[in-house]
Amino acid sequence: MNPTVLLAHGVRASASMWRAQLAALDRAAVPALAPDLPGHGARRGEAFTVAGALATLDEAASSAGGPVVVVGVSLGGYLALHWAASTARRPAAVLAAACSTRPRGPGLAGYRALASLIERLPDRGAGLNDALARRVLPAQALDDLAVGGMAVGVMDAVLADVGGLDPVADLRALGDVPVRLVNGRWDHFRLEERTLLAACARGRLVVVPGATHLVSLVRPVAFTRQVLELVAEVR
C-alpha cells in the first residue's frame, strides 16, 4: 500500500503549484493531498500564522487514514519539517526542498524590510511579482501558479512568524524518520544544507542541476522523481 503524499506549497503560491506532481502521483497510483495554507489560494482572506499552517497539515494528515510522506518547498519545506517534528501523527518520511538556510538574523531582517517596501506599492507588489515570475519560471509553471492565484500581501506576515522556526532542531527531533533535502543548484536558500544534513539521522541531500529556488516548478520531472523514490523507500 502506498503512503499518502501531503504537499505543502510555498509562500504567495497555493495548492495549484503542485499540479504537475499531483498528476504524476495519480498516474503512479499514489494518493496525495495538497491543501491551501492560511492566507493563500482559496484562503487568501485569512491571516497567515505558523500555528494555523500546522493545523492545516495536521487536519489533512488525519484525513489520509494511513502513513504520510510530507513534502514541502520553500515556506512549505520549513513547515513540513516543523510539523513532522511536532505532530503526534509521525510521518513515514519528509522531503524538504528549498529551505536549507535557517530563517534568522540579518538575512531574515533584510527580507522583511524588502517585503515591507514592496507591500507599500500601489498594487502591493503584484506587478513586480508577475514580472519576476515570468523571468524565472517556465510557461507551464506560470499557468499552474495562476490557477490558484498569488497572495501578494502575505509576505511580511509569513516572515514575521517563520523566524521562530529552527529546521536544524526539527531535523534532530525527527530521529530515524527518513529525510530527503532537495535543492536547486542555483538556490540561494541552500547555504546551510550541509549543516541540515548533519542534523539528520537518516538524511540524504539531492541537488538538482540547473534548478533555482522553486525547484518543483523549474524542474518538475526531476523533483517528482525524488518524491516517488521516497515513497518507494518507505512503502
Side-chain angles (χ1 to χ4, degrees):
M1 177 180 177
N2 283 320
T4 297
V5 173
L6 174 56
L7 298 156
H9 64 74
V11 67
R12 295 191 302 245
S14 73
S16 70
M17 75 170 286
W18 296 115
R19 291 206 304 173
Q21 284 73 40
L22 288 169
L25 290 167
D26 184 62
R27 289 193 296 270
V30 176
L33 298 166
D36 283 333
L37 298 173
H40 297 78
R43 303 174 66 184
R44 281 199 292 273
E46 302 177 32
F48 174 86
T49 64
V50 166
L54 297 181
T56 297
L57 296 179
D58 219 37
E59 182 179 359
S62 69
S63 71
V68 168
V69 172
V70 62
V71 175
V73 63
S74 191
L75 168 65
Y78 290 111
L79 292 172
L81 287 173
H82 193 57
W83 175 79
S86 58
T87 183
R89 308 177 190 280
R90 199 72 162 174
V94 182
L95 189 154
C99 60
S100 291
T101 295
R102 281 172 282 190
R104 64 183 187 180
L108 178 61
Y111 267 101
R112 288 197 66 187
L114 180 60
S116 179
L117 288 172
I118 291 172
E119 290 190 9
R120 292 178 192 172
L121 296 172
D123 63 353
R124 302 193 73 184
L128 178 60
N129 180 81
D130 290 347
L132 290 173
R134 287 194 298 271
R135 184 179 181 88
V136 302
L137 294 175
Q140 185 59 59
L142 293 173
D143 290 345
D144 292 344
L145 289 172
V147 170
M150 297 296 289
V152 294
V154 76
M155 192 64 150
D156 189 58
V158 168
L159 293 174
D161 224 17
V162 299
L165 301 181
D166 184 349
V168 171
D170 289 335
L171 287 165
R172 288 174 179 154
L174 284 175
D176 63 353
V177 173
V179 175
R180 195 165 294 207
L181 304 174
V182 179
N183 295 320
R185 171 67 181 84
W186 305 112
D187 185 3
H188 52 295
F189 273 69
R190 56 178 294 219
L191 299 177
E192 294 184 282
E193 61 186 18
R194 294 291 172 182
T195 300
L196 268 66
L197 182 63
C200 300
R202 293 180 60 189
R204 179 181 174 190
L205 173 64
V206 177
V207 178
V208 180
T212 49
H213 180 60
L214 294 176
V215 57
S216 62
L217 291 169
V218 177
R219 293 290 185 272
V221 174
F223 184 86
T224 304
R225 184 180 302 119
Q226 296 303 320
V227 176
L228 290 172
E229 285 182 6
L230 189 55
V231 167
E233 180 181 327
V234 303
R235 185 169 47 213

mmCIF file of all heavy atoms in Angstrom, residues 18-73:
data_model
loop_
_atom_site.group_PDB
_atom_site.id
_atom_site.type_symbol
_atom_site.label_atom_id
_atom_site.label_comp_id
_atom_site.label_asym_id
_atom_site.label_seq_id
_atom_site.Cartn_x
_atom_site.Cartn_y
_atom_site.Cartn_z
ATOM 1 N N TRP A 18 1.273 22.536 -7.298
ATOM 2 C CA TRP A 18 1.602 21.115 -7.293
ATOM 3 C C TRP A 18 0.914 20.350 -8.423
ATOM 4 O O TRP A 18 0.900 19.108 -8.400
ATOM 5 C CB TRP A 18 1.199 20.488 -5.964
ATOM 6 C CG TRP A 18 1.927 21.009 -4.764
ATOM 7 C CD1 TRP A 18 1.404 21.706 -3.724
ATOM 8 C CD2 TRP A 18 3.316 20.854 -4.455
ATOM 9 N NE1 TRP A 18 2.368 21.998 -2.791
ATOM 10 C CE2 TRP A 18 3.558 21.480 -3.225
ATOM 11 C CE3 TRP A 18 4.386 20.237 -5.131
ATOM 12 C CZ2 TRP A 18 4.819 21.521 -2.635
ATOM 13 C CZ3 TRP A 18 5.644 20.280 -4.541
ATOM 14 C CH2 TRP A 18 5.848 20.912 -3.307
ATOM 15 N N ARG A 19 0.343 21.018 -9.415
ATOM 16 C CA ARG A 19 -0.427 20.306 -10.437
ATOM 17 C C ARG A 19 0.398 19.243 -11.152
ATOM 18 O O ARG A 19 -0.096 18.143 -11.427
ATOM 19 C CB ARG A 19 -1.017 21.293 -11.449
ATOM 20 C CG ARG A 19 -2.111 22.167 -10.856
ATOM 21 C CD ARG A 19 -3.091 22.650 -11.904
ATOM 22 N NE ARG A 19 -2.439 23.368 -12.986
ATOM 23 C CZ ARG A 19 -3.056 23.777 -14.095
ATOM 24 N NH1 ARG A 19 -4.338 23.525 -14.274
ATOM 25 N NH2 ARG A 19 -2.396 24.445 -15.030
ATOM 26 N N ALA A 20 1.650 19.531 -11.478
ATOM 27 C CA ALA A 20 2.493 18.545 -12.170
ATOM 28 C C ALA A 20 2.729 17.333 -11.283
ATOM 29 O O ALA A 20 2.666 16.179 -11.738
ATOM 30 C CB ALA A 20 3.821 19.164 -12.591
ATOM 31 N N GLN A 21 3.001 17.581 -10.002
ATOM 32 C CA GLN A 21 3.256 16.468 -9.083
ATOM 33 C C GLN A 21 1.972 15.666 -8.823
ATOM 34 O O GLN A 21 2.012 14.431 -8.764
ATOM 35 C CB GLN A 21 3.814 17.001 -7.760
ATOM 36 C CG GLN A 21 5.274 17.408 -7.811
ATOM 37 C CD GLN A 21 5.501 18.700 -8.580
ATOM 38 O OE1 GLN A 21 4.710 19.638 -8.469
ATOM 39 N NE2 GLN A 21 6.579 18.757 -9.350
ATOM 40 N N LEU A 22 0.851 16.350 -8.676
ATOM 41 C CA LEU A 22 -0.407 15.649 -8.429
ATOM 42 C C LEU A 22 -0.769 14.739 -9.599
ATOM 43 O O LEU A 22 -1.239 13.614 -9.405
ATOM 44 C CB LEU A 22 -1.528 16.660 -8.179
ATOM 45 C CG LEU A 22 -1.466 17.390 -6.836
ATOM 46 C CD1 LEU A 22 -2.455 18.549 -6.813
ATOM 47 C CD2 LEU A 22 -1.738 16.441 -5.678
ATOM 48 N N ALA A 23 -0.542 15.222 -10.823
ATOM 49 C CA ALA A 23 -0.834 14.402 -11.997
ATOM 50 C C ALA A 23 0.079 13.175 -12.043
ATOM 51 O O ALA A 23 -0.371 12.054 -12.324
ATOM 52 C CB ALA A 23 -0.673 15.224 -13.266
ATOM 53 N N ALA A 24 1.365 13.362 -11.747
ATOM 54 C CA ALA A 24 2.308 12.244 -11.778
ATOM 55 C C ALA A 24 2.009 11.240 -10.672
ATOM 56 O O ALA A 24 2.088 10.017 -10.876
ATOM 57 C CB ALA A 24 3.739 12.768 -11.650
ATOM 58 N N LEU A 25 1.671 11.731 -9.493
ATOM 59 C CA LEU A 25 1.339 10.829 -8.387
ATOM 60 C C LEU A 25 0.065 10.040 -8.690
ATOM 61 O O LEU A 25 -0.031 8.852 -8.370
ATOM 62 C CB LEU A 25 1.176 11.630 -7.094
ATOM 63 C CG LEU A 25 2.476 12.222 -6.524
ATOM 64 C CD1 LEU A 25 2.166 13.248 -5.442
ATOM 65 C CD2 LEU A 25 3.378 11.126 -5.976
ATOM 66 N N ASP A 26 -0.885 10.685 -9.331
ATOM 67 C CA ASP A 26 -2.109 9.987 -9.714
ATOM 68 C C ASP A 26 -1.806 8.863 -10.702
ATOM 69 O O ASP A 26 -2.340 7.753 -10.582
ATOM 70 C CB ASP A 26 -3.101 10.983 -10.306
ATOM 71 C CG ASP A 26 -4.437 10.335 -10.650
ATOM 72 O OD1 ASP A 26 -5.098 9.832 -9.745
ATOM 73 O OD2 ASP A 26 -4.795 10.326 -11.848
ATOM 74 N N ARG A 27 -0.938 9.147 -11.662
ATOM 75 C CA ARG A 27 -0.565 8.103 -12.635
ATOM 76 C C ARG A 27 0.129 6.938 -11.952
ATOM 77 O O ARG A 27 0.012 5.789 -12.398
ATOM 78 C CB ARG A 27 0.344 8.704 -13.721
ATOM 79 C CG ARG A 27 -0.363 9.651 -14.676
ATOM 80 C CD ARG A 27 0.506 9.958 -15.883
ATOM 81 N NE ARG A 27 1.724 10.654 -15.533
ATOM 82 C CZ ARG A 27 1.849 11.984 -15.470
ATOM 83 N NH1 ARG A 27 0.793 12.756 -15.726
ATOM 84 N NH2 ARG A 27 2.998 12.547 -15.163
ATOM 85 N N ALA A 28 0.861 7.226 -10.878
ATOM 86 C CA ALA A 28 1.579 6.176 -10.151
ATOM 87 C C ALA A 28 0.720 5.524 -9.067
ATOM 88 O O ALA A 28 1.226 4.689 -8.311
ATOM 89 C CB ALA A 28 2.842 6.758 -9.529
ATOM 90 N N ALA A 29 -0.553 5.897 -9.005
ATOM 91 C CA ALA A 29 -1.482 5.350 -8.008
ATOM 92 C C ALA A 29 -1.031 5.647 -6.580
ATOM 93 O O ALA A 29 -1.208 4.829 -5.667
ATOM 94 C CB ALA A 29 -1.673 3.852 -8.209
ATOM 95 N N VAL A 30 -0.434 6.829 -6.393
ATOM 96 C CA VAL A 30 -0.033 7.282 -5.066
ATOM 97 C C VAL A 30 -1.015 8.361 -4.620
ATOM 98 O O VAL A 30 -1.109 9.410 -5.267
ATOM 99 C CB VAL A 30 1.402 7.852 -5.073
ATOM 100 C CG1 VAL A 30 1.770 8.402 -3.702
ATOM 101 C CG2 VAL A 30 2.402 6.787 -5.498
ATOM 102 N N PRO A 31 -1.762 8.153 -3.553
ATOM 103 C CA PRO A 31 -2.703 9.179 -3.100
ATOM 104 C C PRO A 31 -1.964 10.432 -2.632
ATOM 105 O O PRO A 31 -0.862 10.339 -2.081
ATOM 106 C CB PRO A 31 -3.453 8.504 -1.948
ATOM 107 C CG PRO A 31 -2.545 7.408 -1.484
ATOM 108 C CD PRO A 31 -1.779 6.952 -2.695
ATOM 109 N N ALA A 32 -2.579 11.594 -2.842
ATOM 110 C CA ALA A 32 -1.917 12.846 -2.492
ATOM 111 C C ALA A 32 -2.935 13.865 -2.015
ATOM 112 O O ALA A 32 -4.089 13.875 -2.448
ATOM 113 C CB ALA A 32 -1.141 13.390 -3.682
ATOM 114 N N LEU A 33 -2.488 14.741 -1.123
ATOM 115 C CA LEU A 33 -3.288 15.839 -0.594
ATOM 116 C C LEU A 33 -2.483 17.122 -0.724
ATOM 117 O O LEU A 33 -1.284 17.138 -0.415
ATOM 118 C CB LEU A 33 -3.634 15.597 0.872
ATOM 119 C CG LEU A 33 -4.477 14.349 1.183
ATOM 120 C CD1 LEU A 33 -4.428 14.061 2.681
ATOM 121 C CD2 LEU A 33 -5.895 14.548 0.711
ATOM 122 N N ALA A 34 -3.128 18.211 -1.165
ATOM 123 C CA ALA A 34 -2.439 19.490 -1.336
ATOM 124 C C ALA A 34 -3.346 20.615 -0.843
ATOM 125 O O ALA A 34 -4.052 21.248 -1.635
ATOM 126 C CB ALA A 34 -2.053 19.699 -2.799
ATOM 127 N N PRO A 35 -3.354 20.876 0.453
ATOM 128 C CA PRO A 35 -4.218 21.936 0.987
ATOM 129 C C PRO A 35 -3.632 23.328 0.753
ATOM 130 O O PRO A 35 -2.416 23.493 0.628
ATOM 131 C CB PRO A 35 -4.261 21.616 2.481
ATOM 132 C CG PRO A 35 -2.930 20.970 2.753
ATOM 133 C CD PRO A 35 -2.614 20.177 1.517
ATOM 134 N N ASP A 36 -4.507 24.320 0.688
ATOM 135 C CA ASP A 36 -4.070 25.713 0.723
ATOM 136 C C ASP A 36 -3.746 26.081 2.167
ATOM 137 O O ASP A 36 -4.511 25.761 3.089
ATOM 138 C CB ASP A 36 -5.172 26.648 0.218
ATOM 139 C CG ASP A 36 -5.298 26.649 -1.293
ATOM 140 O OD1 ASP A 36 -4.288 26.382 -1.970
ATOM 141 O OD2 ASP A 36 -6.404 26.938 -1.792
ATOM 142 N N LEU A 37 -2.637 26.762 2.370
ATOM 143 C CA LEU A 37 -2.277 27.247 3.697
ATOM 144 C C LEU A 37 -3.024 28.547 4.006
ATOM 145 O O LEU A 37 -3.467 29.238 3.082
ATOM 146 C CB LEU A 37 -0.768 27.485 3.767
ATOM 147 C CG LEU A 37 0.118 26.255 3.551
ATOM 148 C CD1 LEU A 37 1.586 26.665 3.476
ATOM 149 C CD2 LEU A 37 -0.103 25.221 4.656
ATOM 150 N N PRO A 38 -3.187 28.906 5.278
ATOM 151 C CA PRO A 38 -3.856 30.165 5.609
ATOM 152 C C PRO A 38 -3.200 31.353 4.901
ATOM 153 O O PRO A 38 -1.979 31.432 4.798
ATOM 154 C CB PRO A 38 -3.666 30.271 7.130
ATOM 155 C CG PRO A 38 -3.484 28.862 7.589
ATOM 156 C CD PRO A 38 -2.756 28.162 6.481
ATOM 157 N N GLY A 39 -4.044 32.262 4.391
ATOM 158 C CA GLY A 39 -3.542 33.444 3.699
ATOM 159 C C GLY A 39 -3.197 33.222 2.248
ATOM 160 O O GLY A 39 -2.731 34.138 1.579
ATOM 161 N N HIS A 40 -3.440 32.017 1.743
ATOM 162 C CA HIS A 40 -3.045 31.650 0.377
ATOM 163 C C HIS A 40 -4.209 30.981 -0.359
ATOM 164 O O HIS A 40 -5.077 30.367 0.253
ATOM 165 C CB HIS A 40 -1.860 30.682 0.405
ATOM 166 C CG HIS A 40 -0.612 31.256 0.998
ATOM 167 N ND1 HIS A 40 -0.426 31.387 2.356
ATOM 168 C CD2 HIS A 40 0.519 31.728 0.412
ATOM 169 C CE1 HIS A 40 0.775 31.919 2.583
ATOM 170 N NE2 HIS A 40 1.366 32.124 1.431
ATOM 171 N N GLY A 41 -4.164 31.061 -1.689
ATOM 172 C CA GLY A 41 -5.133 30.362 -2.514
ATOM 173 C C GLY A 41 -6.561 30.719 -2.152
ATOM 174 O O GLY A 41 -6.925 31.894 -2.044
ATOM 175 N N ALA A 42 -7.385 29.706 -1.938
ATOM 176 C CA ALA A 42 -8.787 29.923 -1.580
ATOM 177 C C ALA A 42 -8.941 30.511 -0.182
ATOM 178 O O ALA A 42 -10.051 30.899 0.205
ATOM 179 C CB ALA A 42 -9.548 28.605 -1.676
ATOM 180 N N ARG A 43 -7.829 30.598 0.571
ATOM 181 C CA ARG A 43 -7.873 31.115 1.947
ATOM 182 C C ARG A 43 -7.157 32.458 2.074
ATOM 183 O O ARG A 43 -6.667 32.815 3.147
ATOM 184 C CB ARG A 43 -7.259 30.085 2.900
ATOM 185 C CG ARG A 43 -7.943 28.721 2.837
ATOM 186 C CD ARG A 43 -7.223 27.696 3.682
ATOM 187 N NE ARG A 43 -7.299 28.020 5.098
ATOM 188 C CZ ARG A 43 -6.691 27.337 6.059
ATOM 189 N NH1 ARG A 43 -5.953 26.273 5.741
ATOM 190 N NH2 ARG A 43 -6.795 27.678 7.318
ATOM 191 N N ARG A 44 -7.120 33.210 0.970
ATOM 192 C CA ARG A 44 -6.393 34.485 0.994
ATOM 193 C C ARG A 44 -6.988 35.501 1.966
ATOM 194 O O ARG A 44 -6.303 36.435 2.362
ATOM 195 C CB ARG A 44 -6.323 35.083 -0.420
ATOM 196 C CG ARG A 44 -5.266 34.451 -1.293
ATOM 197 C CD ARG A 44 -4.900 35.338 -2.475
ATOM 198 N NE ARG A 44 -5.993 35.456 -3.416
ATOM 199 C CZ ARG A 44 -6.241 34.619 -4.409
ATOM 200 N NH1 ARG A 44 -5.460 33.563 -4.572
ATOM 201 N NH2 ARG A 44 -7.245 34.813 -5.230
ATOM 202 N N GLY A 45 -8.247 35.350 2.352
ATOM 203 C CA GLY A 45 -8.845 36.271 3.304
ATOM 204 C C GLY A 45 -8.439 36.025 4.744
ATOM 205 O O GLY A 45 -8.725 36.833 5.619
ATOM 206 N N GLU A 46 -7.755 34.917 5.006
ATOM 207 C CA GLU A 46 -7.339 34.579 6.364
ATOM 208 C C GLU A 46 -5.935 35.108 6.653
ATOM 209 O O GLU A 46 -5.124 35.292 5.745
ATOM 210 C CB GLU A 46 -7.335 33.059 6.552
ATOM 211 C CG GLU A 46 -8.670 32.387 6.300
ATOM 212 C CD GLU A 46 -8.573 30.883 6.429
ATOM 213 O OE1 GLU A 46 -7.751 30.408 7.243
ATOM 214 O OE2 GLU A 46 -9.302 30.178 5.702
ATOM 215 N N ALA A 47 -5.647 35.328 7.915
ATOM 216 C CA ALA A 47 -4.297 35.721 8.324
ATOM 217 C C ALA A 47 -3.406 34.488 8.363
ATOM 218 O O ALA A 47 -3.821 33.414 8.803
ATOM 219 C CB ALA A 47 -4.333 36.379 9.694
ATOM 220 N N PHE A 48 -2.158 34.657 7.912
ATOM 221 C CA PHE A 48 -1.208 33.544 7.993
ATOM 222 C C PHE A 48 -0.597 33.496 9.377
ATOM 223 O O PHE A 48 -0.141 34.501 9.912
ATOM 224 C CB PHE A 48 -0.086 33.676 6.970
ATOM 225 C CG PHE A 48 0.968 32.608 7.145
ATOM 226 C CD1 PHE A 48 0.812 31.380 6.533
ATOM 227 C CD2 PHE A 48 2.073 32.814 7.972
ATOM 228 C CE1 PHE A 48 1.748 30.362 6.721
ATOM 229 C CE2 PHE A 48 3.013 31.810 8.168
ATOM 230 C CZ PHE A 48 2.852 30.587 7.532
ATOM 231 N N THR A 49 -0.543 32.309 9.941
ATOM 232 C CA THR A 49 0.257 32.040 11.138
ATOM 233 C C THR A 49 0.855 30.640 10.991
ATOM 234 O O THR A 49 0.277 29.776 10.321
ATOM 235 C CB THR A 49 -0.574 32.068 12.441
ATOM 236 O OG1 THR A 49 -1.541 31.019 12.406
ATOM 237 C CG2 THR A 49 -1.267 33.415 12.622
ATOM 238 N N VAL A 50 1.993 30.433 11.596
ATOM 239 C CA VAL A 50 2.589 29.101 11.584
ATOM 240 C C VAL A 50 1.664 28.108 12.267
ATOM 241 O O VAL A 50 1.468 26.980 11.797
ATOM 242 C CB VAL A 50 3.970 29.123 12.267
ATOM 243 C CG1 VAL A 50 4.457 27.703 12.565
ATOM 244 C CG2 VAL A 50 4.984 29.839 11.381
ATOM 245 N N ALA A 51 1.046 28.515 13.368
ATOM 246 C CA ALA A 51 0.135 27.612 14.079
ATOM 247 C C ALA A 51 -1.025 27.194 13.178
ATOM 248 O O ALA A 51 -1.421 26.025 13.154
ATOM 249 C CB ALA A 51 -0.389 28.293 15.344
ATOM 250 N N GLY A 52 -1.571 28.156 12.436
ATOM 251 C CA GLY A 52 -2.661 27.834 11.525
ATOM 252 C C GLY A 52 -2.214 26.911 10.407
ATOM 253 O O GLY A 52 -2.963 26.015 9.987
ATOM 254 N N ALA A 53 -1.000 27.121 9.911
ATOM 255 C CA ALA A 53 -0.468 26.260 8.853
ATOM 256 C C ALA A 53 -0.251 24.839 9.355
ATOM 257 O O ALA A 53 -0.553 23.862 8.662
ATOM 258 C CB ALA A 53 0.835 26.841 8.320
ATOM 259 N N LEU A 54 0.273 24.714 10.569
ATOM 260 C CA LEU A 54 0.481 23.380 11.142
ATOM 261 C C LEU A 54 -0.851 22.665 11.361
ATOM 262 O O LEU A 54 -0.963 21.457 11.137
ATOM 263 C CB LEU A 54 1.246 23.486 12.465
ATOM 264 C CG LEU A 54 2.663 24.052 12.401
ATOM 265 C CD1 LEU A 54 3.280 24.065 13.791
ATOM 266 C CD2 LEU A 54 3.530 23.270 11.432
ATOM 267 N N ALA A 55 -1.856 23.424 11.788
ATOM 268 C CA ALA A 55 -3.181 22.828 11.970
ATOM 269 C C ALA A 55 -3.740 22.341 10.633
ATOM 270 O O ALA A 55 -4.407 21.296 10.565
ATOM 271 C CB ALA A 55 -4.123 23.846 12.602
ATOM 272 N N THR A 56 -3.464 23.082 9.562
ATOM 273 C CA THR A 56 -3.905 22.673 8.228
ATOM 274 C C THR A 56 -3.259 21.347 7.828
ATOM 275 O O THR A 56 -3.927 20.442 7.313
ATOM 276 C CB THR A 56 -3.550 23.756 7.204
ATOM 277 O OG1 THR A 56 -4.260 24.965 7.526
ATOM 278 C CG2 THR A 56 -3.910 23.322 5.784
ATOM 279 N N LEU A 57 -1.957 21.225 8.047
ATOM 280 C CA LEU A 57 -1.265 19.983 7.714
ATOM 281 C C LEU A 57 -1.759 18.833 8.594
ATOM 282 O O LEU A 57 -1.923 17.701 8.123
ATOM 283 C CB LEU A 57 0.245 20.163 7.875
ATOM 284 C CG LEU A 57 0.898 21.177 6.939
ATOM 285 C CD1 LEU A 57 2.403 21.273 7.221
ATOM 286 C CD2 LEU A 57 0.665 20.808 5.481
ATOM 287 N N ASP A 58 -2.014 19.119 9.862
ATOM 288 C CA ASP A 58 -2.489 18.077 10.767
ATOM 289 C C ASP A 58 -3.867 17.575 10.340
ATOM 290 O O ASP A 58 -4.126 16.362 10.350
ATOM 291 C CB ASP A 58 -2.544 18.634 12.189
ATOM 292 C CG ASP A 58 -2.102 17.619 13.234
ATOM 293 O OD1 ASP A 58 -1.164 16.851 12.944
ATOM 294 O OD2 ASP A 58 -2.693 17.589 14.311
ATOM 295 N N GLU A 59 -4.727 18.502 9.956
ATOM 296 C CA GLU A 59 -6.070 18.111 9.520
ATOM 297 C C GLU A 59 -6.002 17.267 8.251
ATOM 298 O O GLU A 59 -6.707 16.259 8.114
ATOM 299 C CB GLU A 59 -6.918 19.358 9.279
ATOM 300 C CG GLU A 59 -8.347 19.055 8.869
ATOM 301 C CD GLU A 59 -9.175 20.304 8.660
ATOM 302 O OE1 GLU A 59 -8.641 21.423 8.844
ATOM 303 O OE2 GLU A 59 -10.355 20.180 8.303
ATOM 304 N N ALA A 60 -5.157 17.686 7.306
ATOM 305 C CA ALA A 60 -5.019 16.922 6.070
ATOM 306 C C ALA A 60 -4.461 15.533 6.349
ATOM 307 O O ALA A 60 -4.941 14.527 5.808
ATOM 308 C CB ALA A 60 -4.118 17.673 5.092
ATOM 309 N N ALA A 61 -3.445 15.450 7.208
ATOM 310 C CA ALA A 61 -2.841 14.152 7.524
ATOM 311 C C ALA A 61 -3.837 13.225 8.196
ATOM 312 O O ALA A 61 -3.840 12.016 7.950
ATOM 313 C CB ALA A 61 -1.619 14.355 8.415
ATOM 314 N N SER A 62 -4.701 13.791 9.036
ATOM 315 C CA SER A 62 -5.679 12.959 9.734
ATOM 316 C C SER A 62 -6.699 12.367 8.768
ATOM 317 O O SER A 62 -7.279 11.315 9.042
ATOM 318 C CB SER A 62 -6.400 13.776 10.812
ATOM 319 O OG SER A 62 -7.240 14.756 10.226
ATOM 320 N N SER A 63 -6.914 13.032 7.630
ATOM 321 C CA SER A 63 -7.863 12.521 6.644
ATOM 322 C C SER A 63 -7.256 11.436 5.752
ATOM 323 O O SER A 63 -7.972 10.775 5.011
ATOM 324 C CB SER A 63 -8.380 13.661 5.762
ATOM 325 O OG SER A 63 -7.374 14.129 4.878
ATOM 326 N N ALA A 64 -5.935 11.269 5.840
ATOM 327 C CA ALA A 64 -5.264 10.296 4.968
ATOM 328 C C ALA A 64 -5.590 8.861 5.356
ATOM 329 O O ALA A 64 -5.614 7.969 4.516
ATOM 330 C CB ALA A 64 -3.756 10.515 4.984
ATOM 331 N N GLY A 65 -5.780 8.629 6.631
ATOM 332 C CA GLY A 65 -6.146 7.290 7.086
ATOM 333 C C GLY A 65 -5.031 6.275 7.036
ATOM 334 O O GLY A 65 -5.273 5.063 7.061
ATOM 335 N N GLY A 66 -3.794 6.712 6.959
ATOM 336 C CA GLY A 66 -2.654 5.808 6.898
ATOM 337 C C GLY A 66 -1.364 6.589 6.949
ATOM 338 O O GLY A 66 -1.356 7.776 7.277
ATOM 339 N N PRO A 67 -0.231 5.957 6.618
ATOM 340 C CA PRO A 67 1.056 6.658 6.661
ATOM 341 C C PRO A 67 1.127 7.809 5.675
ATOM 342 O O PRO A 67 0.510 7.768 4.608
ATOM 343 C CB PRO A 67 2.076 5.561 6.315
ATOM 344 C CG PRO A 67 1.279 4.508 5.618
ATOM 345 C CD PRO A 67 -0.098 4.557 6.192
ATOM 346 N N VAL A 68 1.891 8.833 6.048
ATOM 347 C CA VAL A 68 2.003 10.059 5.253
ATOM 348 C C VAL A 68 3.467 10.368 4.990
ATOM 349 O O VAL A 68 4.308 10.273 5.884
ATOM 350 C CB VAL A 68 1.344 11.243 5.995
ATOM 351 C CG1 VAL A 68 1.698 12.572 5.339
ATOM 352 C CG2 VAL A 68 -0.173 11.069 6.037
ATOM 353 N N VAL A 69 3.763 10.728 3.755
ATOM 354 C CA VAL A 69 5.045 11.326 3.395
ATOM 355 C C VAL A 69 4.788 12.800 3.156
ATOM 356 O O VAL A 69 4.036 13.169 2.247
ATOM 357 C CB VAL A 69 5.642 10.678 2.119
ATOM 358 C CG1 VAL A 69 6.879 11.445 1.655
ATOM 359 C CG2 VAL A 69 5.994 9.227 2.382
ATOM 360 N N VAL A 70 5.357 13.670 3.982
ATOM 361 C CA VAL A 70 5.111 15.103 3.852
ATOM 362 C C VAL A 70 6.206 15.733 2.997
ATOM 363 O O VAL A 70 7.397 15.463 3.179
ATOM 364 C CB VAL A 70 4.992 15.781 5.229
ATOM 365 C CG1 VAL A 70 6.271 15.654 6.047
ATOM 366 C CG2 VAL A 70 4.597 17.252 5.075
ATOM 367 N N VAL A 71 5.771 16.551 2.034
ATOM 368 C CA VAL A 71 6.669 17.181 1.057
ATOM 369 C C VAL A 71 6.391 18.679 1.046
ATOM 370 O O VAL A 71 5.228 19.089 0.927
ATOM 371 C CB VAL A 71 6.429 16.602 -0.357
ATOM 372 C CG1 VAL A 71 7.273 17.343 -1.392
ATOM 373 C CG2 VAL A 71 6.715 15.110 -0.381
ATOM 374 N N GLY A 72 7.430 19.488 1.182
ATOM 375 C CA GLY A 72 7.235 20.931 1.146
ATOM 376 C C GLY A 72 8.360 21.626 0.421
ATOM 377 O O GLY A 72 9.490 21.136 0.390
ATOM 378 N N VAL A 73 8.042 22.782 -0.161
ATOM 379 C CA VAL A 73 9.048 23.569 -0.859
ATOM 380 C C VAL A 73 9.034 24.994 -0.321
ATOM 381 O O VAL A 73 7.971 25.562 -0.087
ATOM 382 C CB VAL A 73 8.808 23.560 -2.395
ATOM 383 C CG1 VAL A 73 7.481 24.201 -2.769
ATOM 384 C CG2 VAL A 73 9.959 24.225 -3.137
#
